[in-house]
Amino acid sequence: MKNNVIFFLGLASALAISWAGIVLGSNAQLGSLAPFYDDSEGAAFPARMAGAAAQGQLVYRDMGCASCHTQQVRRPGFGVDKERGWGDRQSVARDYIYQPAPQLGLSRVGPDLANLADRKPSALDASDLLHLLYAGAPGMPTYRFLFETRTLGVGAQPSEKALKLVGALEPKAGTEVVPTPEAESLVAYLLSLKNPYTYPEAVPFTPPAGEGEKEGAK
Amino acid sequence: MTMKSEYSPTDAASRWPLMLLIISGASWLVLAGVFALISSIQLHTPSFMALCPVFTYGRGVAIAETAFVYGWLANAGLALALWVLMRLSGEPLRAQNWALGGWTFWNLGVLGAIIGLGLGDLTGFELLELPGYIQLILFFSYAAIAIPGLLAWSGRLRRVSFASHWYAAAALFLFPWLLSIVHVMLFSAPVRGVLQPIVAGWYAQSVWTLVLAPLALSIAYFVVPKVTGKVLPSYEFASLGFWCLILVGGLTGGRHLVGGPVPAWIASVAVVSCALLFFHTFVVLLNLRGAFTAPGVAVKFIAFGVAAYVLGAVFDTVTSFHVVAVQTQFTYFDEAQKQLALYGAATTILFGGIYFAVPRITGKAWLSPLLVRGHLMLSLLGIMLLVISLCAAGATQSHDLLDAKVPFATITAHTRDSLVGVTAAELILLLGNICFLANFYGTACEILKISSPATFSPSSAMETPAS
């Protein structure tokens, strides 16, 4: 390699090729993805995120929750995501179009959260989630800095938001534990995590009956 | 020994930017080790330091990674790339003020990024945990540090260039472009939805294959022929191996997205590219195989790094296949692969490069041969324990995750023992790196002593085989 110009042009074009291929290619395919309008339901999916939930997504990101939790359900047959109750269908690109900071995640130290608010038979509600954040769980740290311990004035009523803690976690008499605004928006976000609608592209391909029989006979 | 002739006045004239880059890199390495140790304890004991938001697991991991990649690997890699290009140009570094200015702002930028991460400005992107407001500083300061390197490249004595040249110049040239692209697409005008993880995955892979790996390979290609005293075997393939990495490397990023909510072709392209990249890995192994039999601490580090580089490429390819990915995806296997590449390959090669370069830059032998050998032992032991423990944890976790009846509390209990092994490994690595920092600091202080004679004496530590 004796020619400087050709060398650096080569480097620049190699970078340009991989950028154009991967980044521009997927942008051309997905960049203009629109919500899906269902005539029979008279509504478009996915729904826009509520303001509190969008704020909560930023709290989720700032705490680094994605270092232990994914938010992408793999298709039935590829892993056991469905059997674990994480979702009946695979996640598709359309699920994320309204999310300001999608948190797909790379690690499952904890469970997938893509459909956290839609667990069957019963999903966690706000007070369960706040308790989980305050108390932690096996393998999950506590997030007590998202809560505030306040002293109750003489004769004052406890706050409606105060956590109902029992046993070792119970606050001292005359004090109460209330969630900070960050904790509240994080919970609002977690409660917004559900993808109830099945888009056409999320339905797995089923081979025609004839082929299926042949494979079964093998 | 030919050591005496190795010392040249060009080294002395270029020493300041190089020494500053290395010492800041070694300091960030120790800081990264502290945070990695805390995070690894939290994996088996989640309540450890959980009350302080700065040390909460997600932030601790991000800080450790940023200090490691942008603090340690970048600083040390840039120092050695500049040194290689300066050596091959045959004259002292030109435009050293640019390097000094770049060094100042680069490290202020990394410090700012780490403070920002501690306060919660995470981005959520792997290998890009740099708050948006820091990225411009890093862009300009990296470019400033690259200027003396590119001047040394264009002002080289002979028109012919060597493999060390290509890898160093590629890393110096490509990073600012990469960072500027990703800054625009993820921060100033963010793309929508899942395009963000796609862009981030492309960046993470590109920063490894186009910047960090070339920085390490550049010094390996420089040191190995010097130590063995022979022309590199099969050197005629080196340029093909180089262009294979540059062309194909950036396309392998999609393998982590297999089965995810992205177009399936992204993962397919990654599988094919991983297989193509084998050619590059094979060429590197062929060229640098002399390192495995050569004596000396520096080349022992490099030999270990080359072995880890090859093993890492095999790992990447095997885990990119669907049948394997369904098992290993989202488990500690991913972390094992990352550590094998960033620690096992890049870091050990840079250690080897520093052990080779510093006595030549300073004109002094390493202060303590004992600390050099201690660092070698602790590093190799720590890295092997780290990768093996993570793989063991990954195997348990993968088995349990694929059984829908096993709850997460049980998985945590099952992986506990292996994760304690990870903590032990992080502790060993941290001790080794403290030895390294102390030894380097002591050696650097030697050149400040005016009374000491400026003659070069052959370093015993550098050339003694570690027994």
Side-chain angles (χ1 to χ4, degrees), chain B residues 368-395:
Chain B
S368 161
L370 185 72
L371 285 181
V372 173
R373 276 195 291 275
H375 182 220
L376 176 72
M377 300 289 198
L378 291 171
S379 294
L380 302 196
L381 181 71
I383 291 165
M384 284 192 280
L385 184 62
L386 179 66
V387 173
I388 292 171
S389 305
L390 282 170
C391 283

Side-chain angles (χ1 to χ4, degrees), chain A residues 1-2 4 8 18 27 29 31 33 61-63 72 74 79-80 84 96-97 100 102 106 108-110 143, chain B residues 56 59 120 122 126 153 156 161 166 192-193 195-196 202 260-261 265 326 329-330 397 400-401 403 406 408:
Chain A
M1 265 168 266
K2 293 178 182 169
N4 292 335
F8 285 104
S18 85
N27 191 42
Q29 190 174 348
L33 203 58
R61 183 185 70 183
D62 294 350
M63 292 294 148
Q72 43 176 324
R74 301 191 290 186
V80 293
R84 280 194 175 271
Y96 303 86
I97 52 175
L106 290 168
R108 281 179 176 169
V109 176
Y143 289 90
Chain B
T56 193
R59 291 186 189 172
L122 274 72
E126 199 189 16
W153 152 282
R156 62 187 185 275
S161 59
W166 316 326
R192 289 174 54 193
L195 289 167
Q196 287 186 23
W202 171 79
W265 60 262
V326 70
Q329 198 182 23
F330 307 137
Q397 190 191 15
D400 286 353
L401 273 177
D403 184 348
V406 181
F408 272 85

Side-chain angles (χ1 to χ4, degrees), chain B residues 233-392:
Chain B
S234 317
Y235 184 69
E236 60 275 23
F237 291 111
S239 66
L240 289 175
F242 169 77
W243 285 112
C244 175
L245 176 74
I246 298 295
L247 276 172
V248 174
L251 302 175
T252 57
R255 64 177 195 281
H256 296 298
L257 295 167
V258 58
V262 300
W265 60 262
I266 292 183
S268 308
V269 168
V271 177
V272 177
S273 308
C274 273
L276 285 176
L277 205 55
F278 255 136
F279 174 75
H280 157 78
T281 318
F282 188 59
V283 170
V284 169
L285 182 64
L286 274 185
N287 286 163
L288 301 179
R289 65 179 186 266
F292 293 102
T293 48
V297 169
V299 83
K300 281 219 159 43
F301 270 115
I302 290 175
F304 185 88
V306 171
Y309 189 69
V310 174
L311 192 65
V314 175
F315 240 31
D316 286 357
T317 311
V318 171
T319 55
S320 68
F321 291 117
H322 269 60
V323 268
V324 186
V326 70
Q327 310 259 354
T328 60
Q329 198 182 23
F330 307 137
T331 70
Y332 293 113
F333 268 119
D334 286 343
E335 186 63 18
Q337 274 173 272
K338 192 165 135 190
Q339 296 297 341
L340 188 60
L342 295 181
Y343 227 126
T347 297
T348 46
I349 292 179
L350 293 180
F351 280 149
I354 289 173
Y355 279 119
F356 184 83
V358 165
R360 290 162 170 81
I361 297 172
T362 59
K364 307 277 178 199
W366 281 93
L367 193 64
S368 161
L370 185 72
L371 285 181
V372 173
R373 276 195 291 275
H375 182 220
L376 176 72
M377 300 289 198
L378 291 171
S379 294
L380 302 196
L381 181 71
I383 291 165
M384 284 192 280
L385 184 62
L386 179 66
V387 173
I388 292 171
S389 305
L390 282 170
C391 283

Side-chain angles (χ1 to χ4, degrees), chain A residues 71-213:
Chain A
Q71 284 185 31
Q72 43 176 324
V73 180
R74 301 191 290 186
R75 66 174 182 269
F78 192 73
V80 293
D81 295 15
K82 187 182 174 187
E83 290 77 358
R84 280 194 175 271
W86 290 343
D88 291 332
R89 63 166 177 89
Q90 64 179 311
S91 301
V92 290
R94 216 189 291 262
D95 288 327
Y96 303 86
I97 52 175
Y98 285 136
Q99 300 195 9
Q103 301 287 316
L104 293 192
L106 290 168
S107 168
R108 281 179 176 169
V109 176
D112 187 276
L113 302 180
N115 282 298
L116 180 70
D118 205 18
R119 291 272 196 274
K120 310 286 187 322
S122 66
L124 300 172
D125 63 15
S127 69
D128 296 334
L129 288 169
L130 285 171
H131 190 274
L132 187 62
L133 286 171
Y134 185 78
M140 179 179 151
T142 63
Y143 289 90
R144 282 192 201 164
F145 49 84
L146 289 178
F147 296 84
E148 193 185 343
T149 307
R150 290 196 303 211
T151 313
L152 278 174
V154 179
Q157 287 286 318
S159 163
E160 277 180 7
K161 294 175 180 172
L163 264 63
K164 292 171 189 65
L165 299 163
V166 288
L169 294 172
E170 197 173 346
K172 271 183 273 176
T175 61
E176 61 175 358
V177 175
V178 287
T180 58
E182 285 86 31
E184 285 178 24
S185 54
L186 178 59
V187 166
Y189 169 61
L190 293 173
L191 290 175
S192 79
L193 290 173
K194 53 186 157 191
N195 300 311
Y197 187 79
T198 306
Y199 305 105
E201 71 266 27
V203 181
F205 171 76
T206 40
E211 272 178 55
E213 276 171 17

Side-chain angles (χ1 to χ4, degrees), chain A residues 25-79:
Chain A
S26 48
N27 191 42
Q29 190 174 348
L30 299 177
S32 54
L33 203 58
F36 183 80
Y37 186 79
D38 187 327
D39 281 329
S40 60
E41 301 214 16
F45 298 92
R48 281 185 185 276
M49 282 178 99
Q55 255 186 344
Q57 186 167 48
L58 300 184
V59 177
Y60 183 97
R61 183 185 70 183
D62 294 350
M63 292 294 148
C65 303
S67 52
C68 292
H69 295 281
T70 54
Q71 284 185 31
Q72 43 176 324
V73 180
R74 301 191 290 186
R75 66 174 182 269
F78 192 73

Side-chain angles (χ1 to χ4, degrees), chain B residues 63-296:
Chain B
I63 291 175
E65 183 192 274
T66 302
F68 191 80
V69 173
Y70 296 96
W72 155 244
L73 288 178
N75 270 313
L78 282 170
L80 293 173
L82 290 186
W83 184 67
V84 165
L85 289 170
M86 180 275 286
R87 268 301 183 100
L88 293 173
S89 78
E91 58 180 62
L93 274 184
R94 287 188 277 163
Q96 285 188 31
N97 285 343
W98 285 91
L100 288 170
W103 169 79
T104 312
F105 284 99
W106 178 271
N107 286 289
L108 284 177
V110 174
L111 182 66
I114 283 170
I115 293 172
L117 292 174
L119 298 175
D121 287 336
L122 274 72
T123 66
F125 302 121
E126 199 189 16
L127 293 188
L128 186 64
E129 288 288 8
L130 297 170
Y133 47 84
I134 293 296
Q135 292 175 3
L136 273 183
I137 304 175
L138 294 189
F139 171 84
F140 285 112
S141 49
Y142 190 100
I145 298 174
I147 285 173
L150 296 178
L151 284 177
W153 152 282
S154 62
R156 62 187 185 275
L157 279 180
R158 301 177 197 83
R159 279 199 70 200
V160 63
S161 59
F162 303 101
S164 301
H165 266 131
W166 316 326
Y167 283 110
L172 292 181
F173 177 70
L174 288 174
F175 180 73
W177 295 111
L178 259 179
L179 190 64
S180 62
I181 291 173
V182 85
H183 181 77
V184 170
M185 299 197 82
L186 291 178
F187 296 90
S188 18
V191 285
R192 289 174 54 193
V194 292
L195 289 167
Q196 287 186 23
I198 294 173
V199 175
W202 171 79
Y203 170 83
Q205 191 62 34
S206 300
V207 84
W208 163 244
T209 52
L210 302 183
V211 182
L212 302 175
L215 283 174
L217 289 173
S218 159
I219 188 73
Y221 267 98
F222 184 81
V223 173
V224 171
K226 288 254 180 207
V227 172
T228 57
K230 290 184 195 132
V231 177
L232 289 173
S234 317
Y235 184 69
E236 60 275 23
F237 291 111
S239 66
L240 289 175
F242 169 77
W243 285 112
C244 175
L245 176 74
I246 298 295
L247 276 172
V248 174
L251 302 175
T252 57
R255 64 177 195 281
H256 296 298
L257 295 167
V258 58
V262 300
W265 60 262
I266 292 183
S268 308
V269 168
V271 177
V272 177
S273 308
C274 273
L276 285 176
L277 205 55
F278 255 136
F279 174 75
H280 157 78
T281 318
F282 188 59
V283 170
V284 169
L285 182 64
L286 274 185
N287 286 163
L288 301 179
R289 65 179 186 266
F292 293 102
T293 48

